[in-house]
């Protein structure tokens, strides 16, 4: 039960390179061809740079002489920029009851339109309590009304289905 060494993140560099030969690209970006790893490492240290594997799957692996700290920093910034640009689609939920009043219904529909306009999916949930369970057809009619009203701006991702004491329908923006 010997403790394992901590895993290093990022590309293999300097002493971690196990391949005996590498395809070397120098600091100016010129291809030097296949070189012994020890010679390339010595040359990189003399230039004050690191030897970093940039294509480990090729045969022999491709290594470049560069500043490892600056390389990691640039990769981190690039990943952060990519994360910033992606849009996370959320699922918003709107809950209704079968005996909802017209003004309350209109308010809920405005919220649904706002969510769809923001690019989010909307889960419309019809809740049944007590004796309302005997009149699930009223709830189904209301969900069909929602579907028809939102037909211009949304597509139905999952049709209304009954799940115990509630009916669920999912709308997605067109």
């Amino acid at each position: 039960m010997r403790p394992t060494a901590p895993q290093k993140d990022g590309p293999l560099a300097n002493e971690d390179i196990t391949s005996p030969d590498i395809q070397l690209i120098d600091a100016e970006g010129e291809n030097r061809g296949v070189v012994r790893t020890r010679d390339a490492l010595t040359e990189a240290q003399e230039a004050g740079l690191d030897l970093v594997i940039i294509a480990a799957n090729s045969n022999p692996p491709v290594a470049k002489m560069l500043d490892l700290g600056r390389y990691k920093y640039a990769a981190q910034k690039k990943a952060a920029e990519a994360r910033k640009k992606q849009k996370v689609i959320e699922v918003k939920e709107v809950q209704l009851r079968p005996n909802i009043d017209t003004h309350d219904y209109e308010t809920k529909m405005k919220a649904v339109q706002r969510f769809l306009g923001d690019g989010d999916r909307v889960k419309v949930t019809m809740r049944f309590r007590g004796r309302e369970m005997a009149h699930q057809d009223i709830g189904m009619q209301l969900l069909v009304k929602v579907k028809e009203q939102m037909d211009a701006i949304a597509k139905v991702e999952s049709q209304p289905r009954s799940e115990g004491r509630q009916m669920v329908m999912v709308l997605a923006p067109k």
Side-chain angles (χ1 to χ4, degrees):
M1 296 296 291
R2 192 178 306 155
T4 59
Q7 295 292 322
K8 294 184 179 180
D9 60 330
L12 290 175
N14 298 333
E15 303 298 328
D16 298 331
I17 300 172
T18 57
S19 175
D21 296 321
I22 56 167
Q23 179 83 24
L24 180 64
I25 299 173
D26 63 10
E28 287 78 41
E30 292 180 30
N31 189 348
R32 292 277 208 65
V34 178
V35 180
R36 304 284 306 162
T37 304
R38 288 279 134 221
D39 298 339
L41 192 56
T42 306
E43 194 175 327
Q45 287 172 344
E46 287 173 0
L49 298 171
D50 299 300
L51 189 65
V52 180
I53 297 285
I54 56 174
N57 294 336
S58 62
N59 193 9
V62 179
K64 186 172 185 178
M65 285 195 266
L66 46 81
D67 184 358
L68 184 60
R70 185 176 293 160
Y71 178 75
K72 281 186 174 180
Y73 179 77
Q76 185 180 11
K77 283 294 183 187
K78 189 176 178 183
E81 191 67 31
R83 274 195 308 273
K84 191 190 307 182
K85 287 184 180 173
Q86 74 184 20
K87 171 78 171 104
V88 177
I89 298 175
E90 296 183 33
V91 178
K92 305 285 187 168
E93 184 174 16
V94 174
Q95 296 182 357
L96 303 172
R97 296 275 309 282
N99 57 351
I100 191 168
D101 196 36
T102 55
H103 180 68
D104 296 335
Y105 173 79
E106 290 168 3
T107 304
K108 298 278 187 178
M109 290 307 102
K110 282 182 186 174
V112 169
Q113 288 175 344
R114 187 177 71 243
F115 295 150
L116 291 169
D118 291 344
D120 296 324
R121 291 167 38 202
V122 180
K123 179 179 178 182
V124 182
T125 305
M126 177 69 58
R127 291 259 168 110
F128 297 100
R129 289 170 39 189
R131 298 275 303 159
E132 293 172 350
M133 283 298 291
H135 302 286
Q136 289 192 357
D137 56 325
I138 296 172
M140 182 57 89
Q141 289 171 0
L142 200 56
L143 286 178
V144 168
K145 182 179 174 185
V146 169
K147 180 168 67 169
E148 290 171 355
Q149 190 173 347
M150 296 296 146
D151 192 38
I153 61 170
K155 62 179 181 267
V156 178
E157 202 167 85
S158 78
Q159 294 293 332
R161 66 185 183 282
S162 187
E163 296 177 352
R165 293 198 154 268
Q166 59 189 17
M167 277 187 189
V168 178
M169 173 176 67
V170 179
L171 301 172
K174 277 191 175 176

